[in-house]
Amino acid sequence: MELPNQENEMSKMLNGQVHILNQSLKFINSMSLKCALHLNIPEIIKNHCAPMTLTELITALGINKSKANCLFRLMRILINSGYFISQKISENEQGYVVAPSASFHSTKDASLIRIDVSLVAPVLQPAFVKPWDYLTKWFLNEEFCDMTPFEMAFQMSYWEYLRKEENAGRHFNESVAIDARLIGGVMIKECREIFEEIESVVDVGGGTGTASMIIANAFPNLRCINFDLEHVVDGLTSSENLVHVAGDMFQAVPPANVALLKWILHDWNDEECVKILKRCKEAVESSKEKGGRVMIIETVVNPDEKQKQVDEETRETQLLLDMLMMVLVGGKERDEKEWGQLFADAGFTRYKITPIFGFRSLIQLYP
């Protein structure tokens, strides 16, 4: 018979084994979701307009019936991850529906978006996974202090890789556009008063102009400038109140009442962020009396002692993104203290944080 303390130690060891295995195998959730999206399972089930049986799903997918049990197991892990729900149809039959928590898969609001392959694919590419094999070597070797694990793996920066690898660049641009549609939709609702009071806004690092177009369409009297590198904006079509301008945000930013930075600063180290913020400050400085400000949409990570202020999934998402930025580009997700130091170093006098973008917040900076 085991003594009580021995039983307790054994229980701890077994629980520890479960925890380590669970964490080690979590990539399977991501890869299973990727498979479901490639198979178009969410749309197939939604369009069925009723709980869909496994047999009906197999028929709709055109999958060999010998793989029925495998599809059942795929759906089981996706149900466990919260993407689908199994509903009882009859005494011996269950049907699948898309879970309310995964309702992003379809929406009638055109300013919002679906979570689809374009959003998931970039973070599941080999280019995102390979650098993690270099993380240990990166930590232990001083010669790699000026490189990221990504640069160690591919001998080029992440940005150079996106320009060189057409498919990766396309996935990246699609995912940025998807996020911009979501953020743009929230902004025109939550920031309406700001946009109605100003005359111009410049979207710094605005990519192909998705968010700028949403803002321009919602506020026809607002002059919108989509500002990014030449190869990004080249060939984009302007409209009556939207222009695309090429340039380098480290050198100068077009003047406007508001400079908008959507998920840009987490890509850069502190010194680079201060440079960008100074250029944005110069762009809005002359508009102090007209509501001039810099609007930043970024993660604000809660310190450990305040982590209970956000739900567990939100905080974990913030911390996972922080590690991703470290490995890919040498950037980071910041807490309020770190943000405050950057703002002070860039010469701003005050700021306001409003958590209205899920795991991200709106930060308003005043020159």
Side-chain angles (χ1 to χ4, degrees):
M1 180 178 178
E2 296 285 346
L3 296 175
N5 63 334
Q6 290 177 320
E7 291 180 357
N8 188 45
E9 285 301 313
M10 186 62 70
S11 177
K12 286 181 179 179
M13 290 175 65
L14 291 171
N15 289 337
Q17 182 189 45
V18 170
H19 178 69
I20 291 171
L21 273 174
N22 178 272
Q23 296 299 311
S24 301
L25 296 174
K26 276 195 171 181
F27 75 94
I28 294 172
N29 286 329
S30 303
M31 300 309 293
S32 298
L33 174 60
K34 180 181 180 181
C35 176
L37 292 171
H38 276 297
L39 291 172
N40 205 28
I41 290 176
E43 285 299 313
I44 290 172
I45 292 177
K46 179 192 76 71
N47 293 334
H48 190 66
C49 299
M52 194 171 195
T53 66
L54 180 65
T55 301
E56 290 170 333
L57 184 57
I58 289 170
T59 301
L61 290 170
I63 290 175
N64 190 297
K65 292 181 180 180
S66 67
K67 296 179 180 176
N69 182 255
C70 297
L71 182 61
F72 165 78
R73 288 148 66 189
L74 174 65
M75 294 304 296
R76 182 171 61 184
I77 191 67
L78 292 169
I79 289 170
N80 191 70
S81 299
Y83 296 110
F84 299 95
I85 293 173
S86 179
Q87 290 187 352
K88 189 173 182 178
I89 297 177
S90 65
E91 189 66 32
N92 299 314
E93 204 165 28
Q94 299 284 325
Y96 302 116
V97 296
V98 177
S101 60
S103 58
F104 260 174
H105 284 296
S106 180
T107 176
K108 295 179 181 179
D109 189 340
S111 66
L112 298 179
I113 50 89
R114 300 182 314 153
I115 292 181
D116 59 13
V117 177
S118 297
L119 186 61
V120 176
V123 296
L124 298 180
Q125 292 182 79
F128 268 62
V129 178
K130 184 178 178 180
W132 296 92
D133 285 334
Y134 290 78
L135 189 57
T136 303
K137 187 176 180 181
W138 179 78
F139 270 116
L140 295 175
N141 289 270
E142 292 185 10
E143 61 184 290
F144 300 121
C145 286
D146 295 327
M147 299 177 69
T148 64
F150 186 94
E151 290 168 338
M152 290 173 64
F154 292 96
Q155 297 303 304
M156 67 181 82
S157 73
Y158 179 61
W159 310 115
E160 291 170 327
Y161 179 86
L162 293 179
R163 287 195 290 270
K164 181 180 178 182
E165 299 293 332
E166 184 178 338
N167 197 45
R170 178 176 57 82
H171 279 311
F172 176 82
N173 289 332
E174 288 174 350
S175 66
V176 169
I178 284 173
D179 186 65
R181 285 197 289 274
L182 173 60
I183 293 301
V186 177
M187 287 187 69
I188 62 175
K189 295 175 182 177
E190 299 292 339
C191 306
R192 178 168 292 275
E193 289 186 9
I194 297 174
F195 291 126
E196 288 178 340
E197 292 175 356
I198 61 175
E199 298 175 355
S200 59
V201 58
V202 54
D203 188 357
V204 182
T208 55
T210 303
S212 295
M213 284 187 278
I214 292 172
I215 296 170
N217 290 335
F219 305 97
N221 295 323
L222 183 64
R223 184 171 65 91
C224 299
I225 304 167
N226 178 52
F227 180 65
D228 213 310
L229 296 171
E230 185 173 2
H231 75 273
V232 177
V233 301
D234 186 38
L236 296 179
T237 304
S238 297
S239 65
E240 189 173 339
N241 65 325
L242 169 63
V243 294
H244 302 280
V245 177
D248 184 348
M249 63 186 174
F250 289 100
Q251 301 300 321
V253 171
N257 298 150
V258 167
L260 177 62
L261 289 161
K262 309 183 315 300
W263 225 12
I264 298 294
L265 298 178
H266 76 159
D267 291 330
W268 306 96
N269 63 37
D270 290 349
E271 183 180 347
E272 291 163 330
C273 283
V274 170
K275 289 180 182 178
I276 296 169
L277 289 169
K278 284 182 176 180
R279 299 294 85 80
C280 290
K281 183 172 182 287
E282 292 166 0
V284 304
E285 199 123 40
S286 61
S287 301
K288 275 186 179 181
E289 307 305 319
K290 299 179 181 179
R293 72 193 75 180
V294 177
M295 293 172 62
I296 300 170
I297 298 171
E298 286 282 0
T299 295
V300 180
V301 180
N302 277 341
D304 291 341
E305 65 270 16
K306 296 182 179 180
Q307 62 178 294
K308 291 183 180 179
Q309 292 181 5
V310 297
D311 65 88
E312 183 178 338
E313 188 172 44
T314 295
R315 178 169 171 81
E316 184 176 32
T317 300
Q318 293 175 339
L319 299 182
L320 289 171
L321 283 167
D322 178 57
M323 290 296 292
L324 184 64
M325 292 303 101
M326 180 185 80
V327 168
L328 290 187
V329 294
K332 65 187 299 187
E333 307 295 347
R334 296 170 171 89
D335 61 29
E336 184 174 352
K337 183 178 179 180
E338 291 171 315
W339 281 121
Q341 186 61 57
L342 287 185
F343 302 153
D345 292 344
F348 288 91
T349 56
R350 60 191 177 94
Y351 65 88
K352 177 184 177 182
I353 297 176
T354 310
I356 57 173
F357 294 105
F359 65 88
R360 288 167 290 186
S361 296
L362 170 65
I363 309 174
Q364 298 182 70
L365 297 182
Y366 303 91

